[in-house]
């Protein structure tokens, strides 16, 4: 067949260019006669054979696949595996995206439609990992309507979980919750048996309700998730359930309850597998350590140091920014203002302009790090950082993240002596949490008990402001980064 002859000729050319004999290329896995037949176009290699030969020839397996004139299932399966490896193992979403697109273009015909949809799912995941969330949402939305044609390669429920995650990151919390609750209602109506992705839906929805501030609903969902995860029995299901339960306890102001739940979630993570998920979970664990009274900043610093490399290699920009913010908070508590400043700058570099609450938190940490130097120029820069934090929050009008960031800004302004703006920031925090308040009268001065006002909107005790750090607010770091099945 012509496409096999083309492949054989290409292998022969590459072998000679590399100075290898047929025996050298065969190695311990194949016979020289097999290599001879392969080069003559008289054998059809499996995907694993192509991968091993490409390694010995010093070329990309994709190059060997492209030597074939006609795409068949085996070849496309190889390309999909290589794309998955680029995304999950190498942490290269753009390289993975190119591979997924190549598969999609070649998976023509009804008999290859499932591979094309699998490539679409991979492309959506790669876009999300690269921070291109609007494009990812478009891909996921198309997949929701076509998942039934994927022969089980694309789970409609898992795609819905991914959409919830993306809409939350884009700031549309209400739509994310509506999607998740509708999916949960449908699962319950159909009476489906518990599955891993069903547990992930419950965990994801719990995280969204934490974000909104409805900790009671979040705890209801996590209780169900833990019960169902026990019947599913997979480490991923158990990890997602305990992760979400720890998150709900943290968001409810109970770090002592959150720690053992998160430690159980960590214990489910197989060593060396899905380092991004494990890294994000450890960031949340460090955030809880920082919210203890007193904060365990040294332990948090050690936890974050261990997870820095995995998230640098495999995390999204948002993952890396969350890690840098938590690490900056730990360094401030440990009196290391210079290190905190560097980490806050790193977080700001990773965050897009639309990530208002996250940028505000990083700017507040930067302001404190600058103010701690005692330098006049640094103090001016700290004031500028506070103003930029307020600007970053201009469009943040609802949700727990926005409310927490406004409260942190109010605390910083109050400590800086800007009492009027501090009161207005506290009022905005309350509004983000759903309280309807009248506009403050002109020239309103400082309010006694402002910290207690912040406690009202967070539904938790406000930790005391330390000499070296702002109060530590729970940051919603959730298990929404699970890969759709």
């Amino acid at each position: 067949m012509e496409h096999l002859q083309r492949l054989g000729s290409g292998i022969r050319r590459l072998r000679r260019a590399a100075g290898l004999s047929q025996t050298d290329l065969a190695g311990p896995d194949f016979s020289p006669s097999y290599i001879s037949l392969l080069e003559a176009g008289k054998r059809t290699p499996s995907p694993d054979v192509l991968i091993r030969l490409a390694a010995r020839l010093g070329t990309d397996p994709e190059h060997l696949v492209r030597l074939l004139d006609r795409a068949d299932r085996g070849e496309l399966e190889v390309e999909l595996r290589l794309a998955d490896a680029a995304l999950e193992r190498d942490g290269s979403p753009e390289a993975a995206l190119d591979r997924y697109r190549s598969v999609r273009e070649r998976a023509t015909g009804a008999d290859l439609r499932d591979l094309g949809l699998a490539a679409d799912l991979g492309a959506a995941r790669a876009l999300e990992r690269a921070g291109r969330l609007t494009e990812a949402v478009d891909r996921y939305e198309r997949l929701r309507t076509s998942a039934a044609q994927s022969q089980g390669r694309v789970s409609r429920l898992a795609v819905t979980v991914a959409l919830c995650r993306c809409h939350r990151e884009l700031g549309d919390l209400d739509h994310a919750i509506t999607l998740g609750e509708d999916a949960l209602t449908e699962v319950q109506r159909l009476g489906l048996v518990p599955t891993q992705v069903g547990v992930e839906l419950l965990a994801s929805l719990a995280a969204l309700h934490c974000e909104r501030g409805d900790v009671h609903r979040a705890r209801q969902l996590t209780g169900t998730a833990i019960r169902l995860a026990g019947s599913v029995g997979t480490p991923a299901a158990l990890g997602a359930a305990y992760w979400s339960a720890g998150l709900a306890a943290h968001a409810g102001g109970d770090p002592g309850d959150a720690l053992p739940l998160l430690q159980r979630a960590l214990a489910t993570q197989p060593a060396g597998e899905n380092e991004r998920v494990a890294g994000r979970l450890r960031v949340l664990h460090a955030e809880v350590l920082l919210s203890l009274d007193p904060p365990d900043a040294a332990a948090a610093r050690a936890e974050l140091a261990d997870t820095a490399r995995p998230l640098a290699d495999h995390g999204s920009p948002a993952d890396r920014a969350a890690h840098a913010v938590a690490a900056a908070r730990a360094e401030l508590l440990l009196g290391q203002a210079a290190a905190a400043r560097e980490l806050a700058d790193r977080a700001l570099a990773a965050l897009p302009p639309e990530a208002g609450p996250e940028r505000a938190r990083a700017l507040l940490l930067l302001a404190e790090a600058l103010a701690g130097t005692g330098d006049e120029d640094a103090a001016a820069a700290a004031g500028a950082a506070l103003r930029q934090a307020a600007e970053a929050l201009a469009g943040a009008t609802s949700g727990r993240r926005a409310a927490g960031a406004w409260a942190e800004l109010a605390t910083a302004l109050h400590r800086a002596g800007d009492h009027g703006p501090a009161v207005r920031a506290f009022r905005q925090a309350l509004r983000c949490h759903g309280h309807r308040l009248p506009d403050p009268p002109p020239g309103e001065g400082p309010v006694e008990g402002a910290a207690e006002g912040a406690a009202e909107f967070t539904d938790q005790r406000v930790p005391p402001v330390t000499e070296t750090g702002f109060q530590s607010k729970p940051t919603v770091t959730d298990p929404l980064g699970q890969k759709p099945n």
Side-chain angles (χ1 to χ4, degrees):
M1 299 175 67
E2 185 179 346
H3 65 288
L4 292 177
Q5 292 174 349
R6 181 183 181 89
L7 174 64
S9 297
I11 290 174
R12 183 187 304 112
R13 183 176 63 254
L14 289 168
R15 175 177 61 78
R16 290 174 176 172
L20 300 175
S21 66
Q22 289 182 337
T23 301
D24 295 331
L25 183 56
D29 307 306
F30 314 108
S31 66
S33 61
Y34 175 78
I35 299 298
S36 177
L37 290 169
L38 189 61
E39 291 182 352
K42 296 180 180 180
R43 289 292 183 273
T44 302
S46 70
D48 285 339
V49 169
L50 285 180
I51 290 174
R52 280 182 279 178
L53 291 179
R56 291 171 193 165
L57 291 168
T59 190
D60 193 318
E62 184 179 13
H63 175 68
L64 297 184
V65 172
R66 289 187 179 280
L67 290 173
L68 300 170
D69 292 327
R70 183 180 62 84
D72 63 28
R73 181 168 292 274
E75 298 158 14
L76 295 179
E77 292 276 11
V78 171
E79 290 198 64
L80 275 175
R81 287 168 56 189
L82 293 171
D84 290 341
L87 183 62
E88 301 298 342
R89 184 192 66 204
D90 302 334
S92 303
E94 296 295 346
L97 183 59
D98 289 340
R99 291 185 180 279
Y100 288 126
R101 284 173 170 165
S102 172
V103 174
R104 190 68 188 89
E105 290 169 0
R106 301 179 68 206
T108 57
D111 60 324
L112 298 176
R113 181 166 177 75
D114 62 310
L115 293 181
L117 291 172
D120 280 338
L121 175 60
R125 290 169 43 223
L127 288 166
E128 182 187 354
R129 189 74 63 85
R132 297 162 61 178
L133 297 178
T134 302
E135 296 172 77
V137 165
D138 289 342
R139 293 261 186 171
Y140 283 134
E141 287 287 4
R142 290 198 297 270
L143 281 165
R144 274 213 306 163
T145 62
S146 55
Q149 304 169 33
S150 71
Q151 299 181 25
R153 285 181 174 268
V154 178
S155 161
R156 188 173 188 273
L157 192 58
V159 170
T160 300
V161 172
L163 276 169
C164 291
R165 180 171 62 241
C166 289
H167 282 298
R168 173 212 169 205
E169 291 300 325
L170 287 168
D172 196 347
L173 182 62
D174 289 341
H175 185 53
I177 289 177
T178 298
L179 278 174
E181 291 285 6
D182 287 349
L184 181 59
T185 299
E186 182 70 5
V187 168
Q188 293 169 338
R189 184 184 68 81
L190 295 173
L192 301 178
V193 298
T195 62
Q196 179 174 311
V197 71
V199 173
E200 290 173 3
L201 172 65
L202 289 164
S204 300
L205 194 50
L208 293 170
H209 280 290
C210 285
E211 175 84 11
R212 178 182 273 176
D214 189 350
V215 177
H216 177 70
R217 174 60 174 156
R219 283 177 162 158
Q220 286 181 328
L221 292 164
T222 59
T224 304
I226 290 174
R227 177 173 56 81
L228 295 181
S231 62
V232 174
T234 64
L238 291 166
Y242 284 114
W243 183 336
S244 63
L247 171 66
H250 179 44
D254 299 316
D257 292 341
L259 279 176
L261 291 165
L262 294 176
Q263 286 160 359
R264 294 190 72 170
L266 283 166
T268 68
Q269 300 297 313
E273 291 187 19
N274 208 332
E275 294 191 61
R276 182 195 178 211
V277 170
R280 295 173 71 249
L281 178 53
R282 294 179 74 178
V283 169
L284 176 58
H285 188 250
E287 290 171 352
V288 175
L289 291 170
L290 292 171
S291 70
L292 294 172
D293 185 14
D296 193 346
R301 174 201 264 173
E303 184 91 77
L304 293 163
D306 287 344
T307 197
R309 176 49 57 189
L311 286 180
D313 292 342
H314 303 285
S316 69
D319 296 334
R320 294 191 289 274
H323 177 275
V325 165
R329 200 179 294 278
E331 294 299 334
L332 275 175
L333 289 168
L334 292 167
Q336 301 299 315
R341 177 178 177 178
E342 180 182 346
L343 287 160
D345 282 333
R346 189 182 304 169
L348 289 168
L351 289 167
E354 59 268 21
E358 290 77 13
R359 289 189 66 83
R361 279 198 167 94
L363 285 162
L364 290 169
L365 290 167
L366 178 62
E368 185 172 7
L370 289 165
T373 64
D375 178 80
E376 185 174 334
D377 291 339
L386 286 179
R387 290 191 294 273
Q388 291 171 26
E391 292 168 3
L393 289 173
T397 57
S398 64
R400 192 178 191 87
R401 278 192 294 182
W406 275 111
E408 288 186 24
L409 175 61
T411 300
L413 291 168
H414 185 74
R415 292 177 64 218
D418 295 330
H419 301 304
V423 169
R424 289 190 287 275
F426 272 128
R427 285 179 173 273
Q428 190 60 36
L430 288 162
R431 290 192 182 97
C432 288
H433 198 62
H435 293 273
R436 299 176 64 85
L437 299 174
D439 291 332
E444 184 179 53
V447 174
E448 292 295 324
E452 287 74 15
E456 179 185 347
F457 92 81
T458 57
D459 199 23
Q460 64 186 37
R461 177 186 60 78
V462 175
V465 178
T466 67
E467 292 184 358
T468 57
F470 293 126
Q471 55 191 355
S472 178
K473 288 288 190 184
T475 301
V476 177
T477 306
D478 57 63
L480 294 178
Q482 297 284 352
K483 179 178 73 174
N485 294 323

